[in-house]
Amino acid sequence: LGLMPKEEAFYHALNQIPNIHVTILTGNNKRLQTRLDGKYSHLEVVGFTDQVADYMASADLLLSKPGGITLFEAIFSELPVLAWAPFLQQEINNAKFLVRAGIGSVAPKDPEACLSVVESLLNNEKILSIMRSRMRGMKGQLEHASLATLLETLSEREAKMP
């Protein structure tokens, strides 16, 4: 959806964090894409794309709203999550889950504090590694559960066949 902060100072400060490259996926938010594209040397701006998995595979940290699909994609990619403070109930529950599972945290609402957390996480390879490891374990459990469900479904179909 391209839901991002409106304050220009946020992007300016994000661009100033040393030794990082930021890719902003603006989705269908063309206004934000136009506003940011080419303006900052360390911010790459991408509109709607079907290459999200590729971007996640090359990232160290995801800053996003904690939607269900996004969290599953992040788990599959073993990509630690810093979630925007949620306001929808299902996203509040998702944020609680990612914190409880130790695979991410919730960003402070204040832009300066959020940027501080981004920089702190990106400069702490130990915590990012722990989060990735927990995601790897979770991904294994999800894959095992999916395989078990598939086998059960196939067995039920086979039992019904004449």
Side-chain angles (χ1 to χ4, degrees):
L1 297 173
L3 302 172
M4 299 286 292
K6 291 177 176 44
E7 302 86 10
E8 199 69 30
F10 177 85
Y11 301 99
H12 179 74
L14 188 60
N15 188 61
Q16 298 301 313
I17 297 174
N19 303 314
I20 69 166
H21 171 84
V22 176
T23 302
I24 299 174
L25 303 180
T26 61
N28 290 319
N29 188 337
K30 301 235 183 261
R31 198 164 81 192
L32 180 62
Q33 182 181 3
T34 301
R35 192 174 102 215
L36 298 177
D37 197 22
K39 190 170 184 180
Y40 299 100
S41 58
H42 300 290
L43 304 184
E44 174 186 4
V45 181
V46 178
F48 181 83
T49 180
D50 60 359
Q51 305 299 309
V52 173
D54 294 333
Y55 284 104
M56 285 186 164
S58 65
D60 295 310
L61 181 67
L62 172 67
L63 178 57
S64 178
K65 68 186 195 79
I69 292 172
T70 301
L71 289 184
F72 272 105
E73 288 176 318
I75 291 166
F76 182 78
S77 300
E78 300 172 18
L79 178 59
V81 177
L82 179 59
W84 297 115
F87 54 90
L88 297 174
Q89 188 57 52
Q90 68 270 21
E91 291 178 355
I92 291 169
N93 293 337
N94 292 346
K96 288 177 183 176
F97 165 77
L98 75 89
V99 170
R100 199 172 45 248
I103 60 173
S105 59
V106 176
K109 289 183 182 184
D110 174 67
E112 276 188 41
C114 176
L115 290 163
S116 177
V117 171
V118 168
E119 187 170 10
S120 175
L121 282 170
L122 288 173
N123 287 321
N124 191 335
E125 183 52 42
K126 182 178 179 181
I127 195 148
L128 290 175
S129 179
I130 290 168
M131 288 178 179
R132 283 191 292 268
S133 176
R134 289 176 178 157
M135 289 181 142
R136 194 172 308 113
M138 190 175 293
K139 182 171 83 171
Q141 290 173 349
L142 291 171
E143 289 172 346
H144 180 75
S146 295
L147 179 59
T149 301
L150 175 63
L151 291 174
E152 183 179 321
T153 302
L154 290 174
S155 293
E156 288 172 2
R157 283 185 185 170
E158 189 174 288
K160 291 179 183 179
M161 295 178 99

